[in-house]
């Protein structure tokens, strides 16, 4: 799902672009690896087109990691200007990504917007094993199962809000 209140103008041309997650997309023989297609906006009226669309997945050059069956890359997508450069950035949830031997721990990958649109250069992978991220990865946590954006701390930059669908809370499982 995309937060409809946040425009995704990745190339800052004044037209909102539309990222569409396809978590069940197979990449060759890799079932349900997932992908995100970005449909470019054609004017400031919210119209998008398939012309010039791009796809990003874990087999795309510059994307960290590798596609695996069932990752669900693109289960969730969100956009916001996380770095303050006036280009929307793209966050993509892969809640069934494995972290080493931890099955379905989940990750979120963040891609920068640029004058050319979304770029894989400088992309970042976040998980509960990332320093500063609360919690620790556990089997079936599904980090990235929900995403949202907003200026949570009032610093003028969009912040990324990450849901962890099956996080254990104390003794509650």
């Amino acid at each position: 799902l995309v937060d409809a209140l946040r425009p995704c103008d990745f190339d800052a041309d004044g037209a909102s672009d539309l990222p569409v997650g396809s978590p069940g997309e197979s990449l060759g023989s890799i079932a349900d690896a997932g992908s995100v297609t970005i449909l470019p906006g054609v004017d400031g009226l919210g119209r998008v087109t398939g012309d010039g669309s791009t796809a990003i997945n874990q087999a795309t050059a510059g994307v960290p990691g590798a596609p695996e069956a069932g990752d669900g890359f693109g289960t969730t997508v969100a956009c916001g200007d996380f770095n303050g450069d006036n280009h929307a950035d793209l966050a993509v949830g892969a809640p069934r990504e494995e972290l080493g031997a931890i099955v379905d721990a989940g990750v979120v990958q963040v891609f920068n917007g640029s004058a050319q649109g979304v770029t894989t250069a400088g992309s970042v992978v976040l998980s509960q094993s990332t320093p500063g991220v609360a919690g620790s990865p556990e089997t079936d946590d599904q980090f990235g199962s929900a995403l949202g954006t907003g200026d949570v701390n009032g610093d003028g930059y969009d912040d990324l809000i990450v849901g962890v669908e099956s996080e254990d809370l104390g003794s509650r499982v």
Side-chain angles (χ1 to χ4, degrees), residues 70-121:
D71 280 349
F73 182 90
T75 296
T76 53
V77 294
C79 60
D81 186 5
F82 305 126
N83 58 9
D85 67 356
N86 295 316
H87 292 92
D89 305 308
L90 175 65
V92 177
R96 294 184 310 274
E97 176 76 31
E98 294 180 4
L99 287 177
I102 306 172
V103 177
D104 294 345
V107 300
V108 173
Q109 296 192 357
V110 181
F111 303 95
N112 292 320
S114 72
Q116 293 74 41
V118 174
T119 178
T120 60

Side-chain angles (χ1 to χ4, degrees), residues 36-161:
V36 173
T37 300
I38 300 165
L39 303 172
V42 293
D43 58 32
L45 302 176
R47 295 186 311 156
V48 295
T49 180
D51 295 337
S53 66
T54 57
I56 296 176
N57 57 60
Q58 289 178 306
T60 302
V63 175
E68 299 161 324
D71 280 349
F73 182 90
T75 296
T76 53
V77 294
C79 60
D81 186 5
F82 305 126
N83 58 9
D85 67 356
N86 295 316
H87 292 92
D89 305 308
L90 175 65
V92 177
R96 294 184 310 274
E97 176 76 31
E98 294 180 4
L99 287 177
I102 306 172
V103 177
D104 294 345
V107 300
V108 173
Q109 296 192 357
V110 181
F111 303 95
N112 292 320
S114 72
Q116 293 74 41
V118 174
T119 178
T120 60
S123 61
V124 175
V125 178
L126 302 171
S127 72
Q128 287 183 298
S129 63
T130 302
V133 174
S136 58
E138 300 163 313
T139 298
D140 296 325
D141 272 354
Q142 297 185 34
F143 182 87
S145 55
L147 297 175
T149 60
D151 185 3
V152 177
N153 59 3
D155 67 357
Y157 294 93
D158 287 324
D159 300 305
L160 179 61
I161 303 159

